[in-house]
Amino acid sequence: MPKKVKKYTFKFFKALAVITFASAALFPVVLNVLASLLEPSFFDNKIAVGDFKYYSLFGGTAFTPSRYAEIVNGQFLRAALNTTFYAFSISALSLAVSLPAAYALAKFKLRLEKAMLMTAVTVLMLPPVAVCVPNFIIFDKLNLIGSPFAMILPGIFSGLAILVFRQFMLAVPDDVLFAAAIDGAGSFGIFFKIMLPQIKGAVFSVFILIFARSCNLAEQSVILLKNNEWTPVAVYLRERFLNSPDLILAPVSVIALFFVLVVVTSKRIFSLSPSDEFSFRDE
Amino acid sequence: MNEPKKKRASAVYFIRGRFWLLYLLSAALGFALFYVLPFLASGYYIFFEPDGVGGVNKINGIAATLFNPAFMLALKNTFFMLVLYIPAISLFSLAASYVIFNMGRKFAKTGRVLLSFAFLPYIMPAIVVVALWFFVFDGSSVLNFVLRSLAGVGLDFENGISALFALMLVFLWKYAGINIVIMAAAFAFVPKETIESARMDGCGEAKLFFSVVFPQVQKQFYFTVLLSVMGIFGLSDEIYAIWGAYPPQVLYTLHNFMTNTVLKMEYHKSITAAVVFSVFVVLCAVVYVKMEKRWNG
């Protein structure tokens, strides 16, 4: 093969990889938004081909925004507000708890460091439902069953936040902190003025991540809340979904577009490892 | 990232190290109250208060759960999913991130945009992921029309094995992006000199990757494996959202077992399963922390 042809073939495959990769993330979102605008009858009219029935793409279906009436439904709004409240309080409090803890784990010499790391890794992998029943007993003793705090408290203690922050803090050289100490900064001064500004990117990424994970709160609400008005949106949507899958197209489009907006408007690359400065091989 | 180890016995510790307890206090209390204590209490509960019967039935209560067919099935399926999904996602994201890293200067800008989009699927809540993919893997979708006409088999959420692979694609979509971001950052940290000198010594592409580049990024690679394991345990949110309490048999995992028994108020079974699950997770954590110590020093 001539060298030039080889070069262009290579370029073509690179471009193909780029396009595939980019569209892969957005593809279902776009599809969902389109589907949410279709007439409700679209999902009932199927045409039979062979042994199976298929949706007819060219069956004269019109576009209509009627599904979006689902969003102004009072129950959905209340559930969405609940989840927003849970997510914001969990992620904010979780930062407040994890940042100092990660600092202690990264920069102090602690005797039980290994045990604490193991606890963090375990909590990272453990699904909430595994500690659901014992937590129920604890909250029952504290008289918190049915209140939103029962949902918020366990979520604050996030293994992921501690592990990620610790990785970033390990990458900050000790000499910098040492220099600040010599210049007279106190322990808290070093933490707030030297350490935190250097890991801003991680704080942002982890905030978004915990926010998103808190939107998943579902099973524990059944026993911790007894299905009262504090039900999270995931439970509400799941019930609608099991009723009929096309009912939640509109709310889901809105939620998905919200997350797309978060990703598009954020200036930096989300990162869970200590460098958001990417460079490439020949850079 | 790969700082020399000696520096860690930090000078800061000797000067301003008195306040370590203040930094750790809230986290330590929270983890103890909401995770460690429940774990110990569960251990106590399953051995000493089996199903409120007490006395001689202690061991019977545990055995009844452990040899319960539903529990065995859940255990087997969880293990099978780990074996099938983890290599798939790890190899895929390793390859994809290496391709992106190798794209070079001309693609740097596009590469950065792509990497920021890679995070998008990861932050989508489970119910949104399910709704986004449901009509793609519906038995009546265009995808299935094409697949059935070309290959003769569909890929839908309806029957067992096909659902397992459809879910694998959803899993790849959701978790590969974040792995790629982490691995691309790790590759960027590999000193260029090591690559260049290996080149000069006549090292081929394959050998360059396995003997020079990969050993320098293996720590981050195992972190992505950890994240993927966590993703598989979290995948049960999606399974629960699609099929409710009773998914196809191959997808009935430990998480489903725990949720179902909690909802049916069979707390003893649920807690026994949770303890078995936690013991496995703790073992994973021990291995990970041990390995991490080795890589750091």
Side-chain angles (χ1 to χ4, degrees), chain A residues 11 14 18 21-22 24-29 31-32 43 46 49 52-55 57 97 100-101 103-110 113-114 116-119 121-127 129-131 133-135 138-139 153-154 157-160 162 166-167 170 174-175 177-178 181 185-188 190-191 208-209 212-213 215-216 219 222-223 234 237-238 241-242 245-246 248-249 252 255-256 259-260 263-264 269-270 272-275 278-283, chain B residues 1 3 7-8 10-13 15-17 19-20 22-24 26-27 30-31 33-36 38 42 98 100-108 110 112 114-117 119-120 122-128 130-136 138-142 144-145 148 173 178 180-182 184-185 188-189 192 199 205 208 219 226-227 229-230 233 237 240-242 244 255 258-259 262-263 267 270-271 274 277-278 281-282 284-286 288-289 292-293:
Chain A
K11 263 195 173 167
K14 266 184 194 170
V18 172
F21 195 72
L26 279 177
F27 157 75
V29 179
L31 206 67
N32 202 74
F43 295 99
K46 293 181 186 174
V49 180
F52 300 98
K53 283 182 168 179
Y54 298 101
Y55 298 122
L57 280 188
V97 168
Y103 180 57
L105 284 175
K107 291 296 176 192
F108 294 133
K109 218 178 166 186
L110 302 174
E113 191 187 335
K114 249 188 195 173
M116 287 186 254
L117 278 180
M118 271 173 214
T119 318
V121 177
T122 309
V123 171
L124 167 76
M125 290 195 285
L126 213 59
V129 73
V131 286
V133 176
N135 272 348
I138 291 175
F139 285 124
L153 281 173
F157 305 99
S158 153
L160 186 70
I162 290 190
R166 178 175 162 272
Q167 287 293 350
L170 282 177
D174 285 344
D175 297 343
L177 309 186
F178 196 39
S187 182
F188 298 107
I190 295 178
F191 175 61
I208 298 292
L209 204 65
R213 286 182 94 196
C215 296
N216 263 335
E219 289 97 5
V222 180
I223 57 172
L237 287 179
R238 198 162 70 192
F241 181 78
L242 288 176
D246 64 306
I248 64 167
L249 281 172
V252 160
I255 299 174
F259 283 109
V260 172
V263 170
V264 172
I269 296 176
F270 292 99
L272 295 184
S273 59
S275 158
F278 292 92
S279 53
F280 294 82
R281 191 186 257 187
D282 55 354
E283 238 178 349
Chain B
M1 198 80 239
E3 295 282 312
K7 281 192 170 181
R8 267 211 67 208
S10 156
V12 178
Y13 165 71
I15 299 174
R16 308 281 177 196
F19 299 118
W20 63 272
L22 267 182
Y23 289 109
L24 266 181
S26 53
F31 277 105
L33 185 61
F34 295 113
Y35 296 98
V36 179
S42 309
Y98 197 57
I100 292 182
F101 166 68
N102 273 317
M103 274 178 192
R105 200 166 42 230
K106 274 187 187 154
F107 281 93
T110 338
R112 289 201 179 91
L114 293 188
L115 289 177
S116 70
F117 269 105
F119 208 75
L120 181 64
Y122 193 69
I123 60 177
M124 294 273 183
I127 184 72
V128 177
V130 166
L132 291 183
W133 285 101
F134 190 79
F135 285 104
V136 177
D138 189 30
S140 316
S141 69
V142 181
N144 275 311
F145 175 70
R148 283 191 195 122
W173 177 76
I178 189 77
I180 290 171
V181 170
I182 292 175
F189 257 79
K192 303 285 176 292
R199 273 273 160 73
E205 278 293 325
L208 179 74
K219 189 180 153 197
L226 182 77
L227 278 184
V229 172
M230 183 187 112
F233 294 156
D237 283 341
Y240 201 83
I242 302 176
H255 189 282
M258 285 189 271
T259 315
V262 166
L263 296 184
Y267 296 134
S270 170
I271 291 179
F277 193 86
S278 320
V281 169
V282 168
C284 288
V286 170
Y288 181 78
V289 172
E292 207 210 15
K293 279 270 134 63

Side-chain angles (χ1 to χ4, degrees), chain A residues 140-211:
Chain A
D140 198 35
K141 292 246 161 69
L142 297 173
N143 224 346
L144 284 174
I145 296 296
S147 91
F149 294 108
M151 299 286 283
I152 293 172
L153 281 173
I156 293 172
F157 305 99
S158 153
L160 186 70
I162 290 190
L163 286 180
V164 172
F165 288 146
R166 178 175 162 272
Q167 287 293 350
F168 275 83
M169 288 172 174
L170 282 177
V172 174
D174 285 344
D175 297 343
V176 179
L177 309 186
F178 196 39
I182 288 175
D183 287 347
S187 182
F188 298 107
I190 295 178
F191 175 61
F192 283 108
K193 290 191 186 137
I194 311 292
M195 187 53 100
L196 288 190
Q198 298 205 44
I199 59 162
K200 256 189 290 183
V203 172
F204 175 69
S205 301
V206 169
F207 182 87
I208 298 292
L209 204 65
I210 297 181
F211 185 92

Side-chain angles (χ1 to χ4, degrees), chain B residues 19-196:
Chain B
F19 299 118
W20 63 272
L21 190 62
L22 267 182
Y23 289 109
L24 266 181
L25 195 63
S26 53
L29 276 180
F31 277 105
L33 185 61
F34 295 113
Y35 296 98
V36 179
L37 189 68
F39 180 72
L40 296 178
S42 309
Y44 175 84
Y45 178 84
I46 63 167
F47 279 106
F48 297 104
E49 289 177 41
D51 247 351
V53 188
V56 267
N57 285 336
K58 281 172 207 171
I59 303 302
N60 289 352
I62 301 167
T65 307
L66 292 185
F67 297 107
N68 179 344
F71 179 77
M72 297 290 265
L73 179 71
L75 201 65
K76 196 184 82 191
N77 286 340
T78 309
F79 183 70
F80 186 63
M81 264 171 106
L82 283 172
V83 172
L84 183 68
Y85 286 15
I86 293 290
I89 192 167
S90 306
L91 295 181
F92 174 76
S93 42
L94 192 64
S97 53
Y98 197 57
V99 167
I100 292 182
F101 166 68
N102 273 317
M103 274 178 192
R105 200 166 42 230
K106 274 187 187 154
F107 281 93
K109 214 169 181 184
T110 338
R112 289 201 179 91
V113 176
L114 293 188
L115 289 177
S116 70
F117 269 105
F119 208 75
L120 181 64
Y122 193 69
I123 60 177
M124 294 273 183
I127 184 72
V128 177
V129 173
V130 166
L132 291 183
W133 285 101
F134 190 79
F135 285 104
V136 177
F137 291 119
D138 189 30
S140 316
S141 69
V142 181
L143 174 78
N144 275 311
F145 175 70
V146 174
L147 278 180
R148 283 191 195 122
S149 334
L150 293 181
V153 270
L155 191 62
D156 55 46
F157 280 150
E158 273 148 39
N159 68 61
I161 292 297
S162 137
L164 188 69
F165 284 100
L167 197 70
M168 186 161 112
L169 287 183
V170 175
F171 177 70
L172 278 179
W173 177 76
K174 190 169 179 189
Y175 292 98
I178 189 77
N179 288 356
I180 290 171
V181 170
I182 292 175
M183 290 313 294
F187 285 131
F189 257 79
V190 175
K192 303 285 176 292
E193 298 80 35
T194 57
I195 296 178
E196 277 158 21

Side-chain angles (χ1 to χ4, degrees), chain A residues 48-126:
Chain A
V49 180
D51 300 338
F52 300 98
K53 283 182 168 179
Y54 298 101
Y55 298 122
S56 79
L57 280 188
F58 311 104
T61 321
F63 285 100
T64 154
S66 67
R67 276 177 198 282
Y68 282 81
E70 190 76 22
I71 294 166
V72 284
N73 164 353
Q75 244 184 322
F76 170 75
L77 283 181
R78 174 68 210 242
L81 270 181
N82 287 344
T83 293
T84 319
F85 171 66
Y86 291 144
F88 263 112
S89 31
I90 288 178
S91 29
L93 288 172
S94 168
L95 289 190
V97 168
S98 323
L99 279 169
Y103 180 57
L105 284 175
K107 291 296 176 192
F108 294 133
K109 218 178 166 186
L110 302 174
R111 202 163 288 168
L112 284 174
E113 191 187 335
K114 249 188 195 173
M116 287 186 254
L117 278 180
M118 271 173 214
T119 318
V121 177
T122 309
V123 171
L124 167 76
M125 290 195 285
L126 213 59

